[in-house]
Amino acid sequence: MASDSPESLMTLCTDFCLRNLEGTLCYLLDNETLRLHPDIFLPSEICDKLVNEYVELVKTDSIFEPHESFFTLFSDPRSTRLARIHLREQIVQDQDLEAIRKQDLVELYLTNCEKLTAKSLQTLVSFSHTLISLSLFGCCNIFYEEENPGGCEDDCLVNPTRQVLVKDFTFEGFSRLRFLNLGRLIEGVNVETLLRPLASLAALDLSGIQLNDVGFLTQWKDSLVSLVLYNMDLSEEHIQVIAQLHKLRHLDISRDHLSSYYKFKLTRRVLNLFVENLLNLTSLDISGHTMLENCTIPSMEEKMGQTSIEPAKSSIAPFRGLKRPLQFLGLFETSLCRLTHIPAYKVSGDKNEEQVLNAIEAYTEHRPEITSRAINLLFDIARIERCSQLLRALQLVITALKCHKDDKNIQVTGSAALFYLTNSEYRMEQSVKLRRQVIQVVLNGMESYQEVTVQRNCCLTLCNFSIPEELEFQYRRVNELLLNILNQSRQDESIQRIAVHLCNALVCQVDNDHKEAVGKMGFVMTMLKLIQKKLADKTCDQVMEFSWSALWNITDETPDNCEMFLNYSGMKLFLECLKEFPEKQELHRNMLGLLGNVAEVKELRPQLMTSQFISVFSNLLESKADGIEVSYNACGVLSHIMFDGPEAWGICEPHREEVVKRMWAAIQSWDINSRRNINYRSFEPILRLLPQGISPVSQHWATWALYNLVSVYPDKYCPLLIKEGGIPLLKDMIKMASARQETKEMARKVIEHCSNFKEENMDTSR
């Protein structure tokens, strides 16, 4: 299960070594094959961890690069020792098992390893003298070998190889094998013949296998303590055989009630038979079964008061014969789980949160079809009422999503549950580590599924996190996934809106390195394409506004992205949006904020020097849209253009002096106490306008901006101005003959504000 405790040093070291094999344990032979350094010896505790973590990383971390020769590192028991390994799915092939055949494996779990063929059966024989525990669950091709019916190479061109079932393999020689899982074994293999050589099996799992005769199980009646017959269609003969296995402590005859039609129905007599004969039973799973007759105690016979797990008070009549309560009772998707008195410490069912969590925990590994429905019940609990076991619920859903990365149903239900389990109501109960685990599985889901529901659920879940702070550790990956969503030809409107919102939040308040990297990924082009499409539809909605806002954020102090904006016809779209949506104040503010960033780049300003653009900026000086914001941003653009001097004014109309006059009028019309819709991370672009005499109006705009910000938001902007050396620049400007008197007065007020702020916040403690 996903853990909320800090990672152990062993785990951290293992992860580092696996991500840096060449720099730690290995070297590259002939630039392609990994080889262990000759002076290294690793015990089984470390080797097992390396292999098991490697499989986990390949399965769940898209950034991690698998190595073809990884398993060959463990080929020599003189330098590496393996004992207990768990291998999954497509990661493992015949040659991988063959590479470790000299190891003395004690435990080998192969789960859904569909690439393994009968070649691996022969490799298993290599482990026969040491193997105690073996799982072949879902390895559907391991009993097939390739056969060429023609028998020669020439015939192969005409008669391709075919899959032939191997029928002569048995567990002969596996003298120490006690625990065996053959779940979902393919039809045609004779289970009885296969298992006969095993002298003293303790645990056997035959999930999903249909056997008419299970009489052979009685050969282990004195040793078998665990038997799983999930989804086996039972009969009276099966029940009689099971009742003879008197050593059983765990019995699972559950089934998926949706998978197919079952003739067998559970009866009161069958449960009585189990209770009377299986005296050691501590765990029983009868989930999914239909009871043929009523075996519940009428409510009038039940004592009122607190619920009880005492067998004598059981609401299920046959269980009154139990000597002690069961440790586990599986009642998922049965009517029995809703009864008052159930004689078990842990019950899986659908009655309440505890039962649902028990179901997810019990069935995640091998029963995704059941797990998906259990997570759906958890989703309803989290959505409608408060989840009381939040930490456990989150960990179980994370585990299920990681375990079944390619199962669409689990990805849909799991991502929906995560949305409710990570909302602000539960935030204080979640550690950084746990929230990072949520982000990882959400991104896995977005990567694996382009399906609308999964994408929407994942995007909504990401909105529950502090952006960009909590997503920075996966910054590049999350941006790539969001841009991929936005670049799809067919887009769901709601997903598009959420994805643009996330993109905007991700490029707000991050380092310029991040912004440059995202720009190179195609961010600017993607936003402009969205804007172009909305323009074509004559629609100004949140997607349009967020796209311009995102461009404003990503171009902040990032010249490369500003240049991309111009190169991709951004100015053309700006003019078209102004014309098409003259009343959209929020849109105008975002567009002018972006152009303010462009104007800060000296090399790009000549591209703004056209009669058309200057006329537009000049006219926007008089805009009252969004308070002063549009007028302020338009004046900022012009202030940077004016800063280049009269010789850079390469147009006849409008005249430079006329524009300057309109700028003075605009600045004087603004309320100095205006609350702002803007967020400065640095004053550097404003401060560079102070020590110059070529454009007094630019100097005045910069001083007004500083005065407004330190007046209205002193806690934030006084320290920033002091830190960036603004006070000496203001003092020098006051001494300049070319500066206007009103500008100097304003500068003195800025200095006074900052001085007062420093005194008020001075630490006087001794």
Side-chain angles (χ1 to χ4, degrees):
M1 188 191 296
S3 169
D4 197 36
S5 57
E7 299 287 11
S8 67
L9 183 58
M10 174 75 158
T11 298
L12 293 171
C13 290
T14 303
D15 184 79
F16 182 82
C17 287
L18 287 170
R19 294 180 188 276
N20 303 276
L21 281 170
E22 285 178 59
T24 53
L25 305 174
C26 306
Y27 66 95
L28 267 185
L29 182 68
D30 303 327
N31 288 324
E32 55 182 44
T33 307
L34 277 174
R35 285 285 182 269
L36 210 62
H37 285 298
D39 56 346
I40 285 178
F41 171 78
L42 301 173
S44 60
E45 292 84 359
I46 292 176
C47 291
D48 291 350
K49 184 87 172 169
L50 283 167
V51 170
N52 294 333
E53 286 297 315
Y54 172 81
V55 171
E56 181 75 4
L57 282 172
V58 173
K59 182 172 165 52
T60 62
D61 190 339
S62 64
I63 301 169
F64 183 76
E65 287 290 331
H67 298 272
E68 269 190 39
S69 54
F70 176 77
F71 286 91
T72 62
L73 299 177
F74 307 91
S75 59
D76 188 350
R78 291 173 299 182
S79 56
T80 55
R81 295 279 174 85
L82 288 173
R84 294 174 171 83
I85 57 173
H86 297 212
L87 310 179
R88 302 184 66 90
E89 299 169 19
Q90 315 301 325
I91 299 163
V92 188
Q93 301 186 44
D94 291 326
Q95 61 264 32
D96 299 322
L97 275 189
E98 173 68 17
I100 60 171
R101 63 187 173 80
K102 293 181 182 178
Q103 295 286 352
D104 293 335
L105 292 185
V106 174
E107 187 178 282
L108 176 60
Y109 286 0
L110 302 171
T111 304
N112 295 323
C113 299
E114 296 180 1
K115 288 192 174 182
L116 296 183
T117 70
K119 289 178 184 176
S120 288
L121 285 181
Q122 300 312 310
T123 306
L124 288 181
V125 176
S126 306
F127 312 128
S128 61
H129 60 292
T130 55
L131 214 53
I132 292 174
S133 211
L134 174 65
S135 172
L136 300 178
F137 182 88
C139 299
C140 55
N141 295 311
I142 201 165
F143 279 87
Y144 281 109
E145 64 182 354
E146 290 184 350
E147 182 185 79
N148 174 20
C152 70
E153 287 188 18
D154 291 337
D155 281 346
C156 288
L157 300 174
V158 182
N159 301 305
T161 56
R162 65 180 181 182
Q163 300 288 350
V164 178
L165 190 65
V166 172
K167 296 187 178 181
D168 57 353
F169 177 84
T170 72
F171 286 109
E172 186 73 47
F174 287 73
S175 56
R176 302 186 65 193
L177 198 61
R178 297 290 180 272
F179 306 91
L180 180 61
N181 186 337
L182 296 176
R184 287 176 41 203
L185 189 70
I186 47 96
E187 288 184 24
V189 177
N190 189 315
V191 177
E192 182 177 355
T193 304
L194 184 68
L195 300 180
R196 190 180 293 122
L198 298 175
S200 48
L201 266 183
L204 180 62
D205 189 326
L206 299 174
S207 295
I209 303 172
Q210 300 307 322
L211 298 174
N212 294 324
D213 182 8
V214 292
F216 65 90
L217 294 176
T218 56
Q219 67 182 297
W220 302 297
K221 66 181 180 181
D222 294 325
S223 64
L224 204 62
V225 295
S226 174
L227 178 63
V228 178
L229 304 177
Y230 170 68
N231 266 355
M232 185 181 289
D233 199 7
L234 304 172
S235 67
E236 182 60 33
E237 289 74 23
H238 290 83
I239 300 301
Q240 292 303 323
V241 170
I242 292 169
Q244 295 177 55
L245 306 176
H246 60 95
K247 294 281 189 179
L248 279 183
R249 293 203 293 269
H250 171 64
L251 173 63
D252 184 344
I253 56 168
S254 63
R255 65 192 190 192
D256 176 6
H257 79 286
L258 297 181
S259 65
S260 60
Y261 174 74
Y262 294 98
K263 302 187 191 77
F264 181 77
K265 303 288 190 297
L266 261 185
T267 64
R268 189 169 181 158
R269 185 189 63 78
V270 169
L271 293 183
N272 275 324
L273 196 64
F274 289 162
V275 171
E276 291 165 7
N277 290 275
L278 307 179
L279 301 180
N280 296 305
L281 209 61
T282 61
S283 173
L284 174 66
D285 202 331
I286 55 174
S287 296
H289 276 280
T290 304
M291 299 300 298
L292 194 60
E293 58 194 47
N294 184 19
C295 68
T296 61
I297 304 295
S299 58
M300 64 189 71
E301 293 184 29
E302 292 187 358
K303 292 181 180 179
M304 298 297 291
Q306 293 294 314
T307 58
S308 169
I309 58 169
E310 293 177 34
K313 298 177 181 177
S314 172
S315 301
I316 306 168
F319 293 151
R320 289 196 165 186
L322 289 168
K323 297 291 186 287
R324 70 192 80 79
L326 294 169
Q327 293 297 317
F328 175 82
L329 180 56
L331 299 176
F332 189 70
E333 296 182 323
T334 71
S335 56
L336 300 179
C337 72
R338 299 184 187 90
L339 298 174
T340 308
H341 302 286
I342 300 174
Y345 293 107
K346 186 177 277 192
V347 178
S348 72
D350 52 35
K351 177 185 178 182
N352 53 37
E353 181 183 339
E354 174 69 21
Q355 288 188 0
V356 169
L357 293 177
N358 290 340
I360 299 170
E361 187 173 56
Y363 308 130
T364 287
E365 178 70 12
H366 292 134
R367 302 176 194 177
E369 63 281 1
I370 306 292
T371 306
S372 174
R373 299 204 291 275
I375 293 175
N376 202 41
L377 291 169
L378 176 64
F379 162 75
D380 285 332
I381 292 167
R383 179 173 58 91
I384 297 166
E385 54 195 86
R386 182 174 172 80
C387 192
S388 60
Q389 298 184 56
L390 172 72
L391 198 61
R392 186 183 174 208
L394 258 181
Q395 290 169 334
L396 287 169
V397 174
I398 289 169
T399 301
L401 286 166
K402 286 170 74 172
C403 188
H404 300 288
K405 186 180 172 186
D406 300 319
D407 187 294
K408 179 185 168 185
N409 289 331
I410 283 188
Q411 292 299 319
V412 169
T413 56
S415 57
L418 284 182
F419 171 69
Y420 286 100
L421 292 170
T422 55
N423 66 25
S424 55
E425 181 185 0
Y426 298 119
R427 178 112 184 224
M428 296 302 293
E429 300 173 48
Q430 297 164 15
S431 67
V432 171
K433 178 185 173 185
L434 194 63
R435 287 177 74 81
R436 284 192 168 194
Q437 288 174 333
V438 172
I439 291 166
Q440 291 274 27
V441 294
V442 163
L443 299 183
N444 287 347
M446 290 172 72
E447 247 162 14
S448 300
Y449 287 93
Q450 303 305 312
E451 198 269 340
V452 170
T453 310
V454 174
Q455 297 277 333
R456 186 187 298 112
N457 291 348
C458 290
C459 285
L460 283 170
T461 301
L462 290 178
C463 291
N464 286 337
F465 291 81
S466 296
I467 303 170
E469 297 84 6
E470 288 190 281
L471 300 183
E472 271 201 89
F473 80 106
Q474 291 281 290
Y475 194 77
R476 182 177 185 87
R477 186 181 177 202
V478 71
N479 272 293
E480 283 176 343
L481 287 168
L482 290 170
L483 292 178
N484 182 52
I485 288 172
L486 292 172
N487 282 318
Q488 290 167 12
S489 53
R490 287 189 176 183
Q491 294 173 342
D492 177 86
E493 192 70 28
S494 62
I495 296 178
Q496 188 185 66
R497 186 172 62 254
I498 303 162
V500 175
H501 163 72
L502 285 167
C503 280
N504 187 22
L506 278 162
V507 293
C508 184
Q509 300 296 304
V510 291
D511 294 339
N512 291 354
D513 288 348
H514 279 331
K515 293 183 180 182
E516 286 173 7
V518 175
K520 288 171 184 169
M521 286 160 50
F523 189 100
V524 176
M525 173 68 92
T526 300
M527 294 302 141
L528 290 172
K529 281 182 180 175
L530 290 173
I531 292 166
Q532 198 165 30
K533 187 174 185 306
K534 291 296 176 183
L535 254 175
D537 297 339
K538 298 187 184 300
T539 304
C540 183
D541 57 7
Q542 284 186 320
V543 171
M544 170 74 95
E545 289 179 3
F546 284 154
S547 297
W548 278 108
S549 180
L551 288 170
W552 182 4
N553 283 318
I554 202 173
T555 53
D556 180 33
E557 295 185 53
T558 317
D560 286 354
N561 292 341
C562 292
E563 187 173 11
M564 276 189 230
F565 171 79
L566 295 178
N567 291 345
Y568 297 148
S569 304
M571 291 304 294
K572 177 173 177 287
L573 288 176
F574 162 69
L575 294 174
E576 289 175 358
C577 284
L578 268 183
K579 183 180 178 182
E580 186 65 44
F581 310 111
E583 305 302 320
K584 294 291 183 179
Q585 298 186 11
E586 183 84 4
L587 182 68
H588 294 182
R589 177 177 72 88
N590 293 344
M591 292 193 299
L592 265 295
L594 156 64
L595 292 181
N597 292 337
V598 176
E600 288 171 8
V601 184
K602 181 176 177 61
E603 296 76 18
L604 301 180
R605 285 199 283 270
Q607 295 189 52
L608 303 180
M609 184 53 70
T610 70
S611 293
Q612 185 181 28
F613 294 154
I614 299 298
S615 295
V616 168
F617 300 144
S618 300
N619 291 334
L620 287 170
L621 287 169
E622 291 158 18
S623 170
K624 302 300 179 193
D626 200 17
I628 68 166
E629 295 302 331
V630 172
S631 177
Y632 170 88
N633 285 328
C635 199
V637 173
L638 291 167
S639 292
H640 287 287
I641 291 171
M642 293 295 175
F643 178 61
D644 291 334
E647 67 276 7
W649 197 266
I651 55 173
C652 296
E653 290 291 335
H655 294 297
R656 188 172 186 273
E657 293 72 22
E658 178 192 334
V659 175
V660 167
K661 187 178 176 182
R662 294 179 75 175
M663 288 170 68
W664 280 109
I667 298 169
Q668 286 161 354
S669 73
W670 302 336
D671 179 0
I672 197 64
N673 295 312
S674 297
R675 301 195 69 80
R676 307 301 307 285
N677 244 327
I678 201 164
N679 187 20
Y680 283 101
R681 290 188 305 125
S682 169
F683 282 145
E684 195 278 327
I686 293 177
L687 295 177
R688 74 172 76 128
L689 299 178
L690 294 179
Q692 51 89 22
I694 202 162
S695 175
V697 72
S698 302
Q699 201 175 50
H700 192 69
W701 174 84
T703 309
W704 189 97
L706 295 174
Y707 184 29
N708 166 255
L709 293 167
V710 299
S711 301
V712 181
Y713 308 103
D715 291 348
K716 180 174 183 179
Y717 290 119
C718 284
L720 183 62
L721 184 59
I722 294 165
K723 177 187 170 187
E724 295 194 335
I727 303 301
L729 288 174
L730 287 165
K731 287 179 177 177
D732 288 346
M733 187 262 285
I734 291 170
K735 297 173 187 174
M736 291 175 63
S738 59
R740 292 271 286 260
Q741 195 57 39
E742 56 195 298
T743 308
K744 293 179 180 182
E745 283 301 316
M746 201 170 277
R748 290 188 185 97
K749 290 176 182 176
V750 174
I751 295 167
E752 186 182 345
H753 264 286
C754 289
S755 178
N756 291 341
F757 176 83
K758 279 182 74 175
E759 287 176 13
E760 288 171 11
N761 290 275
M762 189 177 293
D763 187 358
T764 57
S765 61
R766 292 183 181 272

